[in-house]
Amino acid sequence: MTEGAEAHQVHPAPGRALHAYLLGRLEFDHLLALQRRLVYDVAGDRDAGAVILCDHPPGVTIGREGSRVHVRPRPEELTSRGWPVRWVSRGGGVLLHLPGQVACYPLIALDRLGLTPGEYLHELQAIVLDLLRAYDLPAEADPVRPGVRVKGRRIAHVGVAVRDWVSCFGIVLNVHPDLEPFYDVHCDGDPLPMTSVQRESPARVRVAGVRQKLVELVAARFRFDRVSVFHAHPGLVSRSPFPPGSAGGGLKHAVPTRTR
Amino acid sequence: MPICVPELGSPRAVLSLWYVRPGDRVSEGDRVAEVLIPGATFDVTAPASGVLGDRFVLPTDPVATGQTLGMIEEAAPGSRPGLRTNVPPGE
């Protein structure tokens, strides 16, 4: 704990609830709108927390530490592949988004937990290490560029933004994406293409199982007592390209399906 | 009132950008600047309401915990939020 966070610190109240949004595939624009809304909500009720679990259509995001030079295809080639490039206000560098990843974006009041942004990054890396340990994968946190490596290759990217001491963005983990495109995009500037849980694990890995485990790890590490799981958010209704009832996140009402 | 860098938990930090310019009126809690550590951006907020005065740090400059980034000065009577109050009329 540190001076800046300590100045804000209040010990977390008992009975803190984490709202977990399992949203399936989510357009990046929709994610940004939802994050803004949830940051506002958590800033107003700092004992509450949320976590978004989703994946994104193919595309490239470039964080504050990234450079266009890490994306090898030329703009016209990116257009023909249907890979939009978006500059975002998170830490970290270039990231290629593909189906088969799990994005885990916790929205948590760090001051409530007495965490600095640096300590929070370590906690996110520790969550990924705990997850990979469950799949018997020896992994290590990247000390230079936040993320996690298995056998020298990056398997997860960690990059966040902190607004009003509330976190957003977070972890993107390769579960079983097509790894070929990672030759063309040097994620976080690393010249080695990323690997995946499926590539490194002898067992079959299910995305649903990874999502579930991540929710549990986030709740435990950030001291939430209860978890409510939702498969939609009311703020996504007007933007969703998915019909009601699909797995894409376009339900009219957010319905908790499981609590503990 | 100084705008100071809080403890960010990283030995390396740089100023990313300023969200406001000298003369802009801000309210306490408004974000005024962004600081970058490896892996994270952090919005620095105004410690008080007033007008942004001097800025002591430029984007990409290294910054350290406790360092003063700039100053918030008392707002002139009649100034409105978001307006640059130190520019001559007609600019």
Side-chain angles (χ1 to χ4, degrees):
Chain A
M1 183 175 40
T2 56
E3 188 180 304
E6 192 175 31
H8 293 76
Q9 190 196 20
V10 177
H11 290 290
R16 298 170 75 232
L18 177 70
H19 287 190
Y21 295 94
L22 276 55
L23 300 179
R25 187 145 309 152
L26 191 61
E27 295 282 346
F28 213 81
D29 281 341
H30 298 175
L31 166 75
L32 295 179
L34 179 59
Q35 276 200 154
R36 277 195 297 273
R37 163 74 183 268
L38 292 174
V39 165
Y40 182 82
D41 289 348
V42 173
D45 178 5
R46 307 188 80 86
D47 277 318
V51 59
I52 300 169
L53 277 297
C54 63
D55 67 16
H56 302 295
V60 174
T61 57
I62 306 178
R64 289 279 195 254
E65 297 162 86
S67 165
R68 180 64 178 75
V69 77
H70 298 143
V71 185
R72 292 171 62 189
R74 291 198 297 265
E76 57 271 24
E77 196 176 343
L78 291 169
T79 303
S80 70
R81 292 187 192 191
W83 290 2
V85 176
R86 178 185 288 278
W87 295 80
V88 290
S89 61
R90 59 161 170 75
V94 167
L95 184 57
L96 174 60
H97 298 272
L98 291 174
Q101 295 173 326
V102 172
C104 172
Y105 303 134
L107 297 104
I108 293 169
L110 303 187
D111 53 347
R112 207 57 158 178
L113 297 169
L115 291 174
T116 63
E119 290 166 338
Y120 177 65
L121 289 168
H122 286 127
E123 298 291 336
L124 292 184
Q125 288 176 303
I127 284 172
V128 178
L129 295 176
D130 287 346
L131 176 81
L132 295 177
R133 197 172 298 120
Y135 291 96
D136 292 326
L137 293 183
E140 56 187 1
D142 188 325
V144 179
R145 290 173 286 227
V148 172
R149 293 178 184 272
V150 171
K151 298 177 186 169
R153 292 179 189 272
R154 288 174 74 82
I155 196 168
H157 156 100
V158 173
V160 305
V162 181
R163 297 165 183 157
D164 195 15
W165 284 98
V166 177
S167 63
C168 55
F169 295 103
I171 299 164
V172 176
L173 173 70
N174 281 358
V175 180
H176 59 54
D178 176 10
L179 295 177
E180 193 70 20
F182 287 96
Y183 285 100
D184 289 336
V185 178
H186 292 167
C187 292
D188 288 311
D190 196 296
L192 281 178
M194 289 184 79
T195 187
S196 70
V197 181
Q198 186 61 78
R199 180 178 187 267
E200 304 297 338
S201 171
R204 179 170 166 75
V205 181
R206 294 174 57 245
V207 166
V210 171
R211 279 200 302 252
Q212 176 67 35
K213 189 72 182 165
L214 280 170
V215 170
E216 293 169 4
L217 289 168
V218 168
R221 190 159 284 272
F222 299 117
R223 293 182 269 163
F224 288 96
D225 302 305
R226 292 181 291 116
V227 179
S228 297
V229 178
F230 301 83
H231 293 279
H233 186 281
L236 290 170
V237 169
S238 62
R239 297 183 175 87
S240 176
F242 300 98
S246 76
L251 296 180
K252 278 191 173 177
H253 303 287
V255 181
T257 57
R258 188 185 62 83
T259 59
R260 73 170 170 88
Chain B
M1 174 80 73
I3 303 165
C4 295
V5 178
E7 172 61 59
L8 299 173
S10 171
R12 287 187 293 143
V14 297
L15 182 78
S16 296
L17 54 92
W18 283 98
Y19 288 116
V20 291
R21 294 176 296 178
D24 283 350
R25 183 166 176 176
V26 297
S27 297
E28 182 179 350
D30 284 351
R31 63 181 187 173
V32 293
E34 181 189 278
V35 171
L36 174 69
I37 66 171
T41 57
F42 180 89
D43 282 353
V44 179
T45 54
S49 298
V51 170
L52 183 68
D54 290 331
R55 297 186 295 189
F56 305 127
V57 180
L58 293 171
T60 74
D61 280 352
V63 296
T65 301
Q67 183 174 344
T68 301
L69 301 177
M71 299 297 292
I72 301 289
E73 297 167 353
E74 202 169 314
S79 63
R80 287 181 292 165
L83 287 183
R84 296 180 67 197
T85 55
N86 65 344
V87 291
E91 184 177 307

